[in-house]
Amino acid sequence: MKKENIILEAKDISVRFRMYDRGLKKYQLEVIKNLNITLHEGEILAVVGASGSGKSVLAHGILGILPSNAELGGEILFEHQPLTKKLRKEKVGSEIIMIPQSVTYLDPLMKTGKQVQGIKGTKQQQEQAFERYGLKKSVSDMYPFQLSGGMARRALISTAVISNAKLILADEPTPGLSEEIALETMKHFRELADSGCSILMITHDIEIALKAADTIAVFYDGQTIDTCTSEQFRQGKDALHHPYTKALWSALPQNGFCVPENFLRKEYSE
């Protein structure tokens, strides 16, 4: 990881959704507020937190795929340049790649092999990725509806890892995978990062994230409330600082599922 080379910055990000109640009275639902992250070249940054804390919304904001009723505030920079609509058109799909949370992102009308190859990938690269993730050669000629959930997930991961992207956004990449394949995915992510790719990994699975991540960013109530190294997390609760991060550590299976009474209440926001 080259600390001096910043690939992605999100500064004071806010996301509000225009909503209507039953009386058709308009109001704004704020799901992200004053959120900040920094991702360096060759770094794997794992974003963790409860459902609804703004993790996936951040990824969609970076890609510019928020719904039409969303308002994005703050600044997003890719290699120190504002990530404008024009720059996204140039970079997304080539230098910026997404592994989406939902397998429905696969094109239902295109065979899986062609989708994984994309525009710049080769059949050889696709076959190597399939072999690595336990997908048979015959999967190349299948359509997405013919795949199981786990197979579709592995195909999506293959799509990203055969690219020469500078930035991969991985939104919950491991659900539905066996432990063996999930660990192989983390190993491959680590190899990509060591070769210079930067990875923003959104996950609920802190245990699997610790296998590869350099840094853990903790989201709570739409904010980044803590950032720590993976090494601090591995060292234990005493090496952590924020009360919510300590609570997350205590709630891990190997730490006895010890969930503080106020863990699910909004008592940690600053």
Side-chain angles (χ1 to χ4, degrees):
M1 180 173 64
K2 301 176 182 178
K3 274 286 188 182
E4 67 275 14
N5 296 336
I6 296 176
I7 296 298
L8 178 73
E9 287 182 275
K11 298 181 177 180
D12 297 321
I13 299 299
S14 64
V15 177
R16 300 178 179 88
F17 290 93
R18 296 186 300 277
M19 309 289 285
Y20 294 87
D21 61 18
R22 291 183 179 179
L24 297 183
K25 183 178 179 180
K26 187 166 71 172
Y27 67 98
Q28 288 194 328
L29 176 65
E30 187 175 48
V31 295
I32 289 181
K33 51 192 174 185
N34 305 120
L35 188 149
N36 296 275
I37 61 165
T38 301
L39 179 62
H40 298 86
E41 180 182 350
E43 179 181 16
I44 299 178
L45 173 63
V47 175
V48 303
S51 297
S53 59
K55 303 187 301 296
S56 294
V57 173
L58 171 63
H60 292 174
I62 293 169
L63 292 171
I65 56 172
L66 290 169
S68 59
N69 68 325
E71 296 177 3
L72 174 66
E75 188 176 28
I76 299 174
L77 304 175
F78 177 67
E79 294 188 311
H80 307 287
Q81 299 181 67
L83 197 52
T84 60
K85 185 176 181 180
K86 180 181 178 182
L87 189 62
R88 284 191 182 99
K89 190 174 181 179
E90 294 175 6
K91 303 296 184 180
V92 173
S94 56
E95 295 183 29
I96 302 175
I97 297 290
M98 174 77 165
I99 301 176
Q101 183 174 0
S102 174
V103 296
T104 59
Y105 277 79
L106 288 169
D107 186 338
L109 303 178
M110 184 183 294
K111 289 184 178 180
T112 305
K114 286 292 185 183
Q115 292 193 61
V116 171
Q117 290 170 37
I119 298 173
K120 297 182 179 180
T122 66
K123 184 173 178 62
Q124 183 181 12
Q125 288 176 315
Q126 171 252 304
E127 289 177 346
Q128 288 173 345
F130 275 19
E131 183 178 358
R132 183 161 197 169
Y133 291 113
L135 293 170
K136 296 180 180 179
K137 285 188 176 182
S138 59
V139 174
S140 297
D141 292 322
M142 293 181 179
Y143 289 95
F145 77 89
Q146 296 174 296
L147 307 180
S148 68
M151 291 166 68
R153 174 70 57 192
R154 284 177 275 165
L156 283 169
I157 294 171
S158 299
T159 301
V161 299
I162 72 167
S163 70
N164 292 315
K166 293 182 178 180
L167 171 63
I168 293 177
L169 305 176
D171 190 358
E172 296 288 358
T174 56
L177 302 182
S178 67
E179 182 179 5
E180 180 183 359
I181 295 295
L183 291 173
E184 180 66 22
T185 301
M186 292 301 103
K187 180 182 177 183
H188 203 171
F189 280 4
R190 186 67 263 165
E191 291 172 4
L192 290 168
D194 290 343
S195 68
C197 180
S198 304
I199 300 175
L200 176 66
M201 180 169 61
I202 295 165
T203 182
H204 285 90
D205 194 337
I206 299 175
E207 286 185 270
I208 201 73
L210 291 173
K211 302 292 184 183
D214 300 290
T215 312
I216 307 290
V218 182
F219 282 19
Y220 183 82
D221 194 24
Q223 301 177 73
T224 310
I225 61 169
D226 196 13
T227 302
C228 59
T229 66
S230 293
E231 182 59 30
Q232 285 176 288
F233 232 100
R234 283 189 285 266
Q235 287 174 0
K237 184 191 281 191
D238 291 341
L240 304 171
H241 303 293
H242 196 283
Y244 186 72
T245 310
K246 290 175 180 284
L248 282 176
W249 184 91
S250 297
L252 293 175
Q254 66 267 33
N255 300 324
F257 291 108
C258 182
V259 182
E261 186 178 342
N262 61 351
F263 185 65
L264 298 179
R265 302 176 191 167
K266 294 187 176 182
E267 297 180 10
Y268 293 102
S269 299
E270 295 177 345

